[in-house]
Amino acid sequence: MCSSDLRFSQKAGMDFFYTPDVGPLMFAGLTFASFVTAFIGVFTGTAGGVILLAIMATVMSPAALIPVHTVIQLGSGVTRTMIMWRWVMTWTLLPFIVGAALGAAAGAKVFVSLPGAVLQVILAVFILVVTWMPKLGRIGARGGRFLALGFVATFVGVFVSATGTLVAPFVASASPDRRNHAATLGALMTFVHIAKMAAFGVIGFSIWNYAWLMAAMIITGAAGNWVGEVALEKISEQRFRLILQLVLTLLCLNLLWTAATGKAWL
């Protein structure tokens, strides 16, 4: 079989449920990945969105990756908030929403002028400091702190999509309980994803060719959120905090490695 015939035969098995360049095995794999990463996101307090983004980046076109990931993470955030709404720290919401709206409106003029490696180093060092020196995450008035956090998370998120790692240590610093952390992080990231969708005008984009895939991944993500919430009830507060710190540190080390080498090892 010649190379052109091989390419055609490979393409013929794609477009499962009308999803561009996605065959049945890939469709099933991505929906399972959504379940696993949603569980990880609740149980560890962060990282689920970053891991899912890394998996999707290996099989999806760059043009569709961030919008599709945003919609899926929005669905995950909504379902997590619905499941754990009693634990949401409501005082964080209004300032964060205002900051998120401003971040989405600000655009990319300053951001795109920074080399990607420089931005990765800044984010990694910043997150490491806040993670291992949690009192720094409580500096300043709490309303102003979360307004600024909403702005930065949304502004950066338009371009890198998964900014839960940035938000997580601040939520952890403000949370008296691990369930407060998981629920509030889900609620805040929901507003980040809504603002991002408005910022890059997702409606009308070819993203809707991925509607079936997004629907399936949102459903399995909701299941992962539920299983994660059950598991969270069985873990001690001290162990949860340690897992969160270790996972955030691992993600930041990956950012630093990527900045230095241009290749991620996660």
Side-chain angles (χ1 to χ4, degrees), residues 69-260:
H69 180 266
T70 295
V71 173
I72 293 164
Q73 290 301 105
L74 172 60
S76 181
V78 169
T79 56
R80 186 193 303 187
T81 305
M82 291 173 64
I83 292 168
M84 305 184 69
W85 65 269
R86 292 181 181 86
W87 296 97
V88 174
M89 297 184 294
T90 54
W91 61 265
T92 65
L93 299 181
L94 181 58
F96 190 91
I97 291 169
V98 172
L102 294 173
K109 291 184 180 179
V110 176
F111 181 85
V112 296
S113 67
L114 291 174
V118 173
L119 182 65
Q120 288 169 331
V121 170
I122 292 172
L123 284 175
V125 172
F126 180 68
I127 294 167
L128 280 172
V129 169
V130 176
T131 298
W132 290 99
M133 302 179 68
K135 289 184 178 179
L136 292 179
R138 294 191 287 267
I139 291 177
R142 63 185 191 177
R145 190 191 320 148
F146 276 86
L147 187 149
L149 186 60
F151 176 89
V152 174
T154 308
F155 185 70
V156 175
V158 171
F159 307 94
V160 299
S161 190
T163 53
T165 306
L166 173 63
V167 178
F170 287 91
V171 177
S173 295
S175 300
D177 185 276
R178 62 196 180 281
R179 288 157 291 201
N180 292 124
H181 173 90
T184 304
L185 183 62
L188 297 183
M189 292 309 297
T190 294
F191 292 110
V192 168
H193 296 309
I194 291 172
K196 282 161 53 184
M197 287 173 65
F200 50 59
V202 119
I203 297 193
F205 185 65
S206 60
I207 186 176
W208 301 116
N209 293 333
Y210 297 86
W212 286 106
L213 176 64
M214 292 188 296
M217 292 180 73
I218 288 171
I219 291 170
T220 54
N225 281 327
W226 180 79
V227 175
E229 197 253 348
V230 172
L232 199 63
E233 295 290 339
K234 300 181 183 300
I235 189 174
S236 69
E237 190 71 29
Q238 183 178 9
R239 184 170 295 180
F240 172 81
R241 297 285 176 171
L242 178 61
I243 290 173
L244 175 61
Q245 287 179 313
L246 292 176
V247 171
L248 284 170
T249 300
L250 186 64
L251 292 171
C252 289
L253 292 176
N254 181 58
L255 270 177
L256 293 172
W257 178 263
T258 303

Side-chain angles (χ1 to χ4, degrees), residues 17-32:
F17 268 102
Y18 308 103
T19 308
D21 300 330
V22 174
L25 288 178
M26 189 184 300
F27 192 100
L30 288 173
T31 55
F32 180 69

